[in-house]
Amino acid sequence: MSAKTGSGVRNLKQRVKTANKRSLSSQKWLERQLNDPYVARAKREGYRSRAAFKLLEIDEKFKILKPGQKIVDLGAAPGGWSQIAAKVVGPKGRVVGIDLLPIDPMAGVEFIQLDFLDESAPGRLIEMLGGPADVVMSDMAANTTGHKKTDHLRIIGLAEAAIYFAREILAPGGAFVAKVFQGGTENQLLADLKRDFAVVRHVKPAASRADSAELYVLATGFRGRADETPAA
């Protein structure tokens, strides 16, 4: 955005002055946040994070969320994805968010402060939902190191753990969506999903920054774990 002054055009892009204890990377992050239209829109529309628009755009295209569903949000803090899910499923649905961090209460969502890798987590979430989940979603990202390959492996490992969790609690026909990064080592992850789901695809919503390697994997039509033998 720009505005004319007496002698020409002045760029109104906001810049952040470098503080004594602020690193260059922190300064760049703050500048990006201040000038991000999705950050501004999230504030205007009352969403807890810009990430809400990623799920909103995915759902607008693929219709994975429906009224009355049971939804699990892994790594839910601060709650942007849970907000979207709660609006769609309505009062007859159930949304449960799980995170290591405490999350401020939200209408239509139950939060539990727990590691989703805890062996008690699947059973506790199924109990809170009142049955198996229709959708398991994850916008989790591992802490970054700055080393591209290491960071990619970390996010893939987190996504693999989320897939394992989803297989434990999803109802037949259910859906799974999770953040991944492009990096060339996600082939096994995709193979695992294709074994257990009817359709698997990569998605990059418009709200995902164009210069980011971030992608989402969307799997629909859960057909049960391939390592389970049907009852006779």
Side-chain angles (χ1 to χ4, degrees):
M1 180 173 67
S2 62
K4 290 186 177 181
T5 62
S7 59
V9 176
R10 177 170 57 89
N11 191 347
L12 292 185
K13 182 178 179 181
Q14 296 189 58
R15 295 184 179 277
V16 178
K17 293 182 179 179
T18 304
N20 291 334
K21 295 184 179 180
R22 181 180 294 139
S23 67
L24 181 60
S25 61
S26 295
Q27 180 188 354
K28 288 182 177 179
W29 182 87
L30 285 170
E31 285 187 359
R32 185 173 65 176
Q33 289 294 101
L34 286 170
N35 294 288
D36 188 325
Y38 284 100
V39 172
R41 184 180 167 192
K43 291 180 179 178
R44 287 197 308 270
E45 298 184 20
Y47 291 120
R48 293 191 177 184
S49 70
R50 72 182 302 284
F53 296 107
K54 300 175 188 179
L55 180 61
L56 189 62
E57 290 166 359
I58 291 171
D59 188 54
E60 284 178 348
K61 185 172 183 179
F62 298 104
K63 308 298 182 186
I64 60 172
L65 303 177
K66 299 177 178 65
Q69 283 183 325
K70 298 178 175 69
I71 311 292
V72 169
D73 185 5
L74 301 179
W81 277 32
S82 292
Q83 275 183 294
I84 297 297
K87 285 186 176 183
V88 177
V89 304
K92 293 185 178 180
R94 301 291 294 274
V95 179
V96 176
I98 180 171
D99 202 292
L100 286 170
L101 300 173
I103 307 174
D104 291 337
M106 178 188 299
V109 183
E110 290 185 77
F111 291 118
I112 178 172
Q113 189 174 355
L114 180 69
D115 188 342
F116 80 96
L117 296 175
D118 188 290
E119 63 180 16
S120 70
R124 292 182 68 178
L125 265 67
I126 288 175
E127 182 179 356
M128 293 173 73
L129 289 170
D134 297 299
V135 179
V136 173
M137 55 190 194
S138 167
D139 194 34
M140 294 184 293
N143 293 331
T144 58
T145 65
H147 185 269
K148 187 175 181 180
K149 186 174 182 180
T150 298
D151 291 341
H152 174 73
L153 291 173
R154 284 187 173 189
I155 189 66
I156 292 299
L158 197 58
E160 288 174 343
I163 291 169
Y164 180 84
F165 181 89
R167 292 169 72 213
E168 295 293 311
I169 69 167
L170 269 177
F176 172 78
V177 58
K179 179 185 291 184
V180 295
F181 286 144
Q182 293 173 314
T185 62
E186 63 270 22
N187 290 338
Q188 185 58 51
L189 181 147
L190 294 176
D192 289 344
L193 285 172
K194 289 176 180 178
R195 180 187 61 190
D196 294 334
F197 292 83
V199 179
V200 179
R201 52 171 64 90
H202 274 136
V203 182
K204 189 172 179 69
S208 184
R209 293 185 174 100
D211 61 351
S212 170
E214 176 185 84
L215 285 174
Y216 289 85
V217 61
L218 173 61
T220 55
F222 182 61
R223 49 186 170 228
R225 293 169 52 170
D227 59 354
E228 289 182 342
T229 302

